[in-house]
Amino acid sequence: MNKDSEFSEWYTNILFEADLIDSRYPVKGMYVWRPYGFKLRNLIYGILRKIMDEEHEEVLFPLLIPKNEFMKEAEHIRGFENEVFWVTRGGSEELDVPLALRPTSETAMYPMFKLWIRSHADLPLKIYQIVNTFRYETKHTRPLIRVREITSFKEAHTAHATWEEAEEQVKRAIEMYKKFYDELGIPYLVTKRPDWDKFPGADYTVAFDTIMPNGKTLQIGTVHHLGDNFARTFDIKYEDENGEHRFVHQTCYGISERCVSAVISIHGDSRGLILPPKVAPIQIVIVPILMSDDERAMEVSREIERLLTSKDYRVLVDNGEERPGAKFYKWERKGVPLRIEIGPRDVSERRVTLVPRDTLQKRGVALDKLLEEVEQEMKEIEKRLSQRAWKKFRERVRKCEDLKEAREIVGVALLPWCGEEDCGKKIEEETAKDLLGEVVELRERSRCIICGRETERTIAIAKSF
Ligand code: PR8
């Protein structure tokens, strides 16, 4: 199946066939992580967790938020009220105060921030949690991409003395997310969302978007400067050095299981998954090709398994009953980065065949060189995957001269824009695409594609998930 032209079918199939997700759970927008998928998820989140742990402390807040707290921040409510699931009963009794299933945790956390933050010595405060959140999505739901139970919502929340310090944190968060996606070899475009489409309650929002195989963009993370908007609502103040009480300034930033869908979709090919070695649940599969009563290939397999396991590789010897071809096919579909084949002739010659999943080019290697060769090949696979992904991404981001060209492009179109909402909306209408945001790093003199005013701003638009 062609991944680019039949992406939807490819995606649905691979989630099932590679044992990642079972989508037959009988609640719309909620899915089951199967063991192989959950291992992949945990390896990816291990990287994210490590990056977060460098400067945040992990916490765990309750899932339920009392309605009175949830309804305090006007813009936040307006943004989320149509997406909230409510718990209104306990047993057969109506609850006095209905409880919201968190769609995100600002209104759960910030009443506690008020209790925790007393003086400037308590700042900055930086915490994160990885939890499930619930959003009653009305657009078409799709596993990992648009779900009603976000099972793996990494949300970080910080509080600072000044607006400028919070802005510094926004920049740090952008760097952290770049590092995360660089480790996964996932390309991204960083834009500042237009004012009318920022996170409800934020001063401004910065978004990470990647491009999926069908050319649609997927927002894979956001960073928000919250100013003192929530601090004013929840009365979060600190005493500064002069004894004055001031509101804190806050940021928050989030990533969901969309990061897993990006790894699956962007690196995979028509045969199935191709997992970067760092996050592959099985990094190396060893397939002994056994002749009737010759067990030596099996012995060598075990020897190699011991060797590689001692170096902390995640290894599997497939000694099942299937024919070698069927085994190759199975592990290719599951994206195992490296296959080692051992045939009867290999045994006598003390050599094996290496087959990297991305190129499928076979290569003979002497047994006593195996460890170095495997280490080298793993690095190469990772590099190739990242390079291939970025190459394709760059081919799909294009500066456009006019609206017609922008409308036709598959991927992201860049256009000069004056910054006004009217012109932004007009661009969306005329191109039938969504406004992602302003490419802050790209400033050059031009004229707004709609009104002709001079501008240095560039807007990115695309069809998005
Ligand atoms: C915040 N508050 O909430 P955000 N399915 C899968 N992924 C999703 C979905 C969904 N239905 N909705 C959003 N995401 C802030 C930041 C705490 C943390 C993913 O921000 O609403 C998107 O990738 O922008 C989105 O960028 C990210 O969660 C954060 O959600």
Side-chain angles (χ1 to χ4, degrees):
M1 190 177 295
N2 187 297
K3 193 182 81 168
D4 293 359
S5 62
E6 301 165 283
F7 174 67
S8 254
E9 295 82 352
W10 180 91
Y11 186 70
T12 309
N13 272 342
I14 200 63
L15 292 181
F16 184 76
E17 288 184 4
D19 300 322
L20 299 169
I21 296 281
D22 199 323
S23 18
R24 291 171 295 182
Y25 192 76
V27 179
K28 183 179 158 62
M30 300 189 187
Y31 308 93
V32 181
W33 285 102
R34 302 199 56 205
Y36 191 69
F38 200 55
K39 284 192 189 108
L40 171 64
R41 180 262 188 209
N42 288 342
L43 286 158
I44 292 175
Y45 274 72
I47 296 176
L48 186 55
R49 202 179 267 287
K50 200 160 155 228
I51 293 171
M52 286 296 119
D53 285 340
E54 279 172 22
E55 63 176 89
H56 309 74
E57 289 193 290
E58 191 177 6
V59 296
L60 185 56
F61 270 73
L63 163 66
L64 299 175
I65 305 173
K67 183 171 180 182
N68 48 318
E69 296 293 0
F70 188 77
M71 299 308 256
K72 270 186 186 160
E73 217 288 331
E75 276 194 36
H76 195 67
I77 307 161
R78 231 175 291 136
F80 276 107
E81 67 188 344
N82 291 326
E83 291 187 21
V84 178
F85 283 95
W86 290 100
V87 176
T88 57
R89 276 204 346 231
S92 53
E93 282 173 31
E94 289 292 319
L95 298 178
D96 292 339
V97 181
L99 301 167
L101 267 64
R102 58 180 167 220
T104 167
S105 302
E106 284 74 9
T107 57
M109 290 183 170
Y110 300 168
M112 302 306 292
F113 277 28
K114 174 183 164 60
L115 304 177
W116 294 346
I117 297 169
R118 291 266 150 252
S119 91
H120 59 92
D122 298 322
L123 300 174
L125 176 72
K126 302 185 192 183
I127 59 167
Y128 80 97
Q129 63 178 5
I130 300 175
V131 294
N132 54 352
T133 59
F134 294 80
R135 295 186 181 182
Y136 186 75
E137 296 282 357
T138 44
K139 277 205 209 166
H140 181 66
T141 52
R142 211 186 283 267
L144 309 180
I145 290 177
R146 180 165 286 103
V147 293
R148 285 185 170 175
E149 179 182 7
I150 309 176
T151 65
S152 312
F153 196 62
K154 191 288 296 169
E155 49 177 329
H157 296 262
T158 71
H160 308 264
T162 63
W163 197 93
E164 289 72 25
E165 282 173 42
E167 172 134 284
E168 274 311 303
Q169 189 62 28
V170 164
K171 290 183 185 150
R172 295 167 73 89
I174 293 170
E175 290 311 309
M176 288 180 237
Y177 284 3
K178 283 186 176 172
K179 188 171 164 194
F180 174 58
Y181 281 113
D182 286 342
E183 291 227 25
L184 299 174
I186 296 299
Y188 45 78
L189 180 72
V190 183
T191 63
K192 189 170 171 194
R193 300 219 23 100
D195 253 2
W196 65 92
D197 218 7
K198 61 191 182 188
F199 183 70
D203 273 3
Y204 68 85
T205 290
V206 174
F208 279 65
D209 285 272
T210 195
I211 305 176
M212 296 292 259
N214 59 358
K216 283 192 182 178
T217 55
L218 182 68
Q219 188 184 88
I220 50 173
T222 44
V223 181
H224 313 286
H225 194 314
L226 302 177
D228 59 4
N229 306 328
F230 284 91
R232 286 177 185 277
T233 307
F234 290 96
D235 193 32
I236 313 172
K237 284 187 189 147
Y238 70 99
E239 193 179 321
D240 71 10
E241 280 96 341
N242 306 319
E244 286 199 43
H245 292 265
R246 299 182 182 281
F247 287 116
V248 298
H249 290 78
Q250 292 174 272
T251 80
C252 67
Y253 29 103
I255 278 182
S256 77
E257 54 258 57
R258 281 184 183 181
C259 63
V260 181
S261 82
V263 168
I264 293 169
S265 310
I266 288 172
H267 294 315
D269 67 8
S270 56
R271 286 170 190 252
L273 299 179
I274 304 180
L275 297 177
K278 244 179 236 166
V279 298
I282 301 167
Q283 295 169 306
I284 302 162
V285 63
I286 303 171
V287 183
I289 299 161
L290 302 170
M291 296 304 249
S292 47
D293 53 356
D294 185 351
E295 281 294 317
R296 288 182 306 161
M298 195 57 219
E299 281 163 26
V300 178
S301 299
R302 291 291 176 210
E303 181 188 327
I304 296 175
E305 183 191 23
R306 275 194 300 276
L307 177 72
L308 294 173
T309 313
S310 75
K311 297 289 173 199
D312 290 333
Y313 286 110
R314 296 181 286 273
V315 186
L316 182 124
V317 177
D318 188 351
N319 59 352
E321 295 293 314
E322 292 156 300
R323 284 178 307 105
K327 291 180 183 176
F328 298 167
Y329 180 72
K330 176 171 75 187
W331 299 114
E332 280 168 11
R333 194 171 54 207
K334 290 192 141 196
V336 175
L338 191 61
R339 175 167 85 227
I340 301 180
E341 299 172 13
I342 307 166
R345 269 214 6 240
D346 292 334
V347 174
S348 41
E349 291 170 18
R350 296 289 292 169
R351 39 177 282 133
V352 296
T353 303
L354 293 191
V355 192
R357 170 62 181 87
D358 59 329
T359 61
L360 295 176
Q361 268 165 15
K362 298 191 179 208
R363 179 156 75 83
V365 166
L367 256 188
D368 55 7
K369 288 262 168 24
L370 184 66
L371 214 47
E372 300 125 68
E373 293 283 348
V374 165
E375 200 180 330
Q376 185 60 25
E377 192 61 58
M378 290 303 208
K379 284 196 195 124
E380 294 292 324
I381 295 172
E382 197 166 297
K383 209 158 83 192
R384 284 195 299 264
L385 288 181
S386 170
Q387 280 171 350
R388 196 183 59 164
W390 272 104
K391 180 167 181 284
K392 187 154 188 187
F393 181 87
R394 292 203 177 96
E395 285 165 5
R396 287 180 150 184
V397 178
R398 194 154 26 110
K399 279 189 199 167
C400 292
E401 300 294 327
D402 55 50
L403 291 165
K404 181 168 173 288
E405 189 188 352
R407 186 167 46 234
E408 283 165 7
I409 182 176
V410 178
V412 176
L414 304 176
L415 292 166
W417 169 58
C418 63
E420 292 301 318
E421 179 167 351
D422 283 350
C423 291
K425 293 258 164 80
K426 200 86 190 273
I427 292 176
E428 286 189 305
E429 272 167 40
E430 303 262 320
T431 57
K433 285 191 160 66
D434 308 312
L435 228 150
L436 303 179
E438 188 186 334
V439 189
V440 183
E441 284 160 17
L442 187 68
R443 290 191 82 84
E444 53 189 30
R445 289 175 75 103
S446 189
R447 289 182 175 278
C448 175
I449 198 83
I450 301 292
C451 68
R453 254 176 294 189
E454 271 201 22
T455 181
E456 290 194 349
R457 295 170 193 260
T458 298
I459 195 91
I461 59 164
K463 285 210 188 290
S464 61
F465 269 99

